[in-house]
Amino acid sequence: EYGRGSEFIFEIPVETEEKNKEFNEEAENEKLAVSGDVPVILVVDDDAGIRSFLKQLLEDEGYKIFTAEHGQEALELARKIQPDLITMDIMMPVMDGGEAIRKIREDSTISDVPILVVSVSPDGDKSGGDVSLTKPIDDAMLLEMVKSLLHQKELPSKPCIVLAEEQAKFRKG
């Protein structure tokens, strides 16, 4: 009634662990129904924040994303979903990225999947992946690398300046 005020009553449902578990299982089953029209990317990182960031960044570009927390989980999931690309951290528990990459390359069902190493390790380029980026992640460079790997284009390179005086020192030494 005008001028007398109003009373509102809200009911907020409380989710139990059981409901969350059921929801997560349904979401996992839904994830396994992969469409062949959309490139599928497996994001592997032990840091939940990095996984979430990469998942969001790549989903915003239209890719179907699966995530794994360590190399062993990545290996098992890659065999199931047959991704078009894998982003792989190197330093992880259970099975590190380097070992996971070696095992992927040995498995004929997934050996040809391009692997983009995304790691804080400066030696990521020596891990057996196709290309390597160091963290912190440059979003634009990551997306450019992903597109290049998915479409088998020439990979982008950063401009390089070589100084003649420095070159001469290395030749003499």
Side-chain angles (χ1 to χ4, degrees):
E1 196 177 302
Y2 181 75
R4 296 194 63 172
S6 302
E7 182 177 318
F8 297 92
I9 299 173
F10 293 93
E11 290 185 21
I12 301 173
V14 177
E15 290 188 27
T16 63
E17 279 187 42
E18 191 172 305
K19 273 190 176 182
N20 283 335
K21 184 178 176 184
E22 287 173 16
F23 175 76
N24 289 336
E25 286 173 1
E26 286 174 19
E28 284 303 312
N29 290 336
E30 193 176 298
K31 282 182 184 178
L32 292 176
V34 177
S35 167
D37 298 340
V38 177
V40 175
I41 299 175
L42 175 58
V43 172
V44 187
D45 201 299
D46 61 325
D47 183 323
I50 297 289
R51 279 195 315 273
S52 177
F53 168 74
L54 290 174
K55 183 177 191 296
Q56 186 64 53
L57 179 69
L58 295 167
E59 279 179 342
D60 287 350
E61 292 295 312
Y63 301 115
K64 176 76 176 165
I65 308 302
F66 291 82
T67 61
E69 195 171 340
H70 51 75
Q72 182 63 43
E73 185 180 4
L75 193 57
E76 293 166 9
L77 193 52
R79 288 176 178 143
K80 284 181 191 173
I81 65 169
Q82 300 288 306
D84 298 299
L85 175 81
I86 299 172
T87 69
M88 181 76 70
D89 186 17
I90 296 300
M91 298 185 302
M92 296 181 291
V94 183
M95 179 189 293
D96 69 33
E99 185 177 349
I101 291 171
R102 281 189 295 281
K103 291 187 180 217
I104 288 168
R105 296 300 189 218
E106 292 170 358
D107 187 324
S108 63
T109 63
I110 53 175
S111 62
D112 61 341
V113 175
I115 299 173
L116 169 57
V117 174
V118 181
S119 180
V120 295
S121 172
D123 294 331
D125 58 340
K126 298 174 187 163
S127 62
D130 296 289
V131 70
S132 176
L133 289 175
T134 52
K135 295 176 185 174
I137 301 165
D138 176 338
D139 301 6
M141 182 59 78
L142 179 115
L143 292 173
E144 195 173 338
M145 295 282 188
V146 165
K147 288 173 186 167
S148 295
L149 288 168
L150 285 172
H151 302 292
Q152 301 300 315
K153 293 180 186 172
E154 187 175 317
L155 293 172
S157 62
K158 292 183 179 176
C160 177
I161 298 174
V162 178
L163 302 175
E165 185 176 276
E166 291 299 315
Q167 259 185 337
K169 286 182 187 177
F170 286 105
R171 287 185 187 154
K172 291 177 187 176

